[in-house]
Amino acid sequence: MNLSFNESEYKILKLAAKHDNLSPGAYAARTTLAVARGELIPLPADYRDRLRTLAHARVAVNRIGNNLNQIAAALNSDAEVSAAQLAAVLERVSRAVEALDAATIATMEQAE
């Protein structure tokens, strides 16, 4: 079997192989077999960035929820905010987290 690469493709292959302490041929063979076996799934180049963005957003929304719980505890001691108002805000946060979860899953499924 012969593989051919243009100059820039070969540079990329050499860098990846060097990162894994392999020759370019060994790296190409290992990676090709891993894809063929379904052990490695090729992803769009921006996939990691999209998933990272979703993960960061989910963490931020969870932090908002935690902060709202702390605010609720403080405000409930003075009874300035009703339980219904607070429940409505927390419900919105919960829906946002569910939407982020769904978007994350959809992004992962697009890669398959």
Side-chain angles (χ1 to χ4, degrees):
M1 172 183 292
N2 292 318
L3 301 174
S4 62
F5 300 96
N6 65 33
E7 188 175 319
S8 63
E9 291 169 337
Y10 190 64
K11 282 181 183 179
I12 293 168
L13 178 64
K14 282 179 21 178
L15 285 171
K18 183 178 179 180
H19 180 266
D20 285 359
N21 295 318
L22 294 170
S23 69
Y27 181 85
R30 184 185 74 174
T31 304
T32 302
L33 286 173
V35 170
R37 290 180 184 135
E39 299 166 351
L40 181 65
I41 300 171
L43 301 172
D46 68 339
Y47 174 79
R48 272 190 273 181
D49 290 336
R50 287 186 284 155
L51 194 55
R52 187 177 299 113
T53 299
L54 287 170
H56 287 307
R58 188 179 187 291
V59 167
V61 171
N62 274 325
R63 287 182 180 152
I64 291 167
N66 288 335
N67 289 342
L68 286 172
N69 283 332
Q70 293 169 353
I71 291 167
L75 291 176
N76 282 336
S77 67
D78 292 335
E80 292 180 17
V81 176
S82 73
Q85 290 171 315
L86 216 38
V89 172
L90 292 173
E91 176 59 29
R92 279 182 256 158
V93 171
S94 179
R95 284 195 312 262
V97 170
E98 288 173 7
L100 283 168
D101 285 344
T104 301
I105 291 168
T107 298
M108 293 169 71
E109 288 174 344
Q110 286 175 354
E112 293 180 358

